[in-house]
Amino acid sequence: MIEVYHWEPHGASARVLICLNEKEVGFRGHYIDVLALEQFRPAFGRVEPSGELPVLVQDGLVYTGATPICELIEESHAQPALLPADPYGRWQARVWQKSIDDAFGPSVSEVAWDAYGVPLPEVDRIVPREQRPLWQAAARGYGEEQLARARRRIHELVGRMEAALAHAPWLAGAAFSLADVAAFAYFKFLPAICPEIANAAATPRAIDWLAAVESRPAVQHALSVGRAPDPFAVAAPAPEQIRWG
Ligand SMILES: N[C@@H](CCC(=O)N[C@@H](CS)C(=O)NCC(=O)O)C(=O)O
């Protein structure tokens, strides 16, 4: 049985949950409450000491990183395919995922934390200790310069999405793929937290694409495992910032 450790079904956790649901792969989910800092408690630390989610465990092996986990699921469960059959399409899907891992995901997390951040009373007791200062900095709030840089990066990627969707219904071509899964998991925050960037007038194709992704039964099922009334109205500090500054 596959075990999946995840938080609210948004961002990286949503990507893995959506992939498994699209392929109808059975798994046992474990909800880890990031805002209660459960990722640093021994029960999860024994699974993955870094404290970062999502984590997939299968046959005693522990897998981390949303993109590599989604590719692992794709390789282990070929149907329905979530990567295009042609090399160019596969390259496109991988470039989208890389841009989302490197810039879009962390940037959306920063702006979402600024919008939805909550006090983190236990932040001074985080173990591992070396993660404390960066969590404390995130808890104090990101500065305007950092948030402006995040918004610029978001704007740039949303512009690329809008351009790509002029040529094809999905980001990597004719079929729904891992690129759409990855982009959706962060783009869905934007109409609420960056309405000046993502809206029906400025980005009509991306807004229609968002509705098309949301209407997929596997996506709806994946999003239903959250505990918050709306998983896209909850945020944690961006893992990249709190781990590496
Ligand atoms: N680059 C990571 C990002 C993972 C991520 O955003 N994880 C969030 C929850 S979905 C998290 O673990 N936050 C808590 C923490 O970093 O301590 C990946 O691709 O898996």
Side-chain angles (χ1 to χ4, degrees):
M1 171 62 90
I2 293 175
E3 313 270 343
V4 177
Y5 295 81
H6 63 88
W7 185 35
E8 283 295 322
H10 64 212
S13 289
R15 294 172 61 185
V16 170
L17 295 168
I18 292 171
C19 280
L20 290 166
N21 277 283
E22 286 283 345
K23 290 174 180 286
E24 298 185 11
V25 177
F27 66 96
R28 186 180 301 130
H30 302 272
Y31 183 99
I32 305 291
D33 187 344
V34 167
L35 294 179
L37 302 176
E38 284 180 2
Q39 71 274 33
F40 297 123
R41 299 222 181 118
F44 181 67
R46 280 191 288 274
V47 177
E48 170 47 38
S50 78
E52 194 170 281
L53 302 157
V55 172
L56 184 148
V57 182
Q58 184 174 23
D59 300 330
L61 297 173
V62 177
Y63 299 92
T64 58
T67 294
I69 294 176
C70 288
E71 296 240 0
L72 169 88
I73 297 167
E74 175 70 8
E75 285 176 6
S76 318
H77 305 274
Q79 296 302 325
L82 288 177
L83 280 176
D86 61 300
Y88 178 67
R90 295 169 93 82
W91 169 81
Q92 279 184 306
R94 290 182 169 128
V95 167
W96 280 113
Q97 290 185 99
K98 179 159 171 47
S99 299
I100 289 159
D101 284 338
D102 290 353
F104 191 56
S107 300
V108 172
S109 297
E110 286 173 36
V111 179
W113 174 246
D114 184 60
Y116 301 126
V118 294
L120 294 171
E122 292 189 36
V123 84
D124 297 332
R125 294 198 289 277
I126 284 178
V127 179
R129 288 183 85 94
E130 66 275 12
Q131 292 204 22
R132 249 179 236 175
L134 291 168
W135 271 88
Q136 287 162 333
R140 286 194 295 274
Y142 299 131
E144 256 325 300
E145 198 179 318
Q146 187 171 345
L147 292 167
R149 185 186 62 181
R151 286 195 191 91
R152 277 198 305 278
R153 289 178 171 169
I154 293 168
H155 197 198
E156 190 271 331
L157 191 118
V158 169
R160 276 168 51 201
M161 288 176 65
E162 191 65 16
L165 294 169
H167 302 292
W170 303 103
L171 292 176
F176 180 77
S177 79
L178 294 182
D180 303 289
V181 174
F184 167 80
Y186 296 98
F187 186 92
K188 187 167 162 50
F189 279 103
L190 299 184
I193 63 171
C194 294
E196 73 289 3
I197 295 176
N199 62 72
T203 56
R205 295 185 195 95
I207 296 292
D208 286 351
W209 163 92
L210 174 65
V213 179
E214 268 186 297
S215 70
R216 299 175 73 85
V219 172
Q220 290 174 9
H221 197 251
L223 299 192
S224 71
V225 303
R227 293 187 186 164
D230 175 0
F232 291 87
V234 181
E240 295 74 9
Q241 298 299 344
I242 58 176
R243 292 211 160 68
W244 307 308

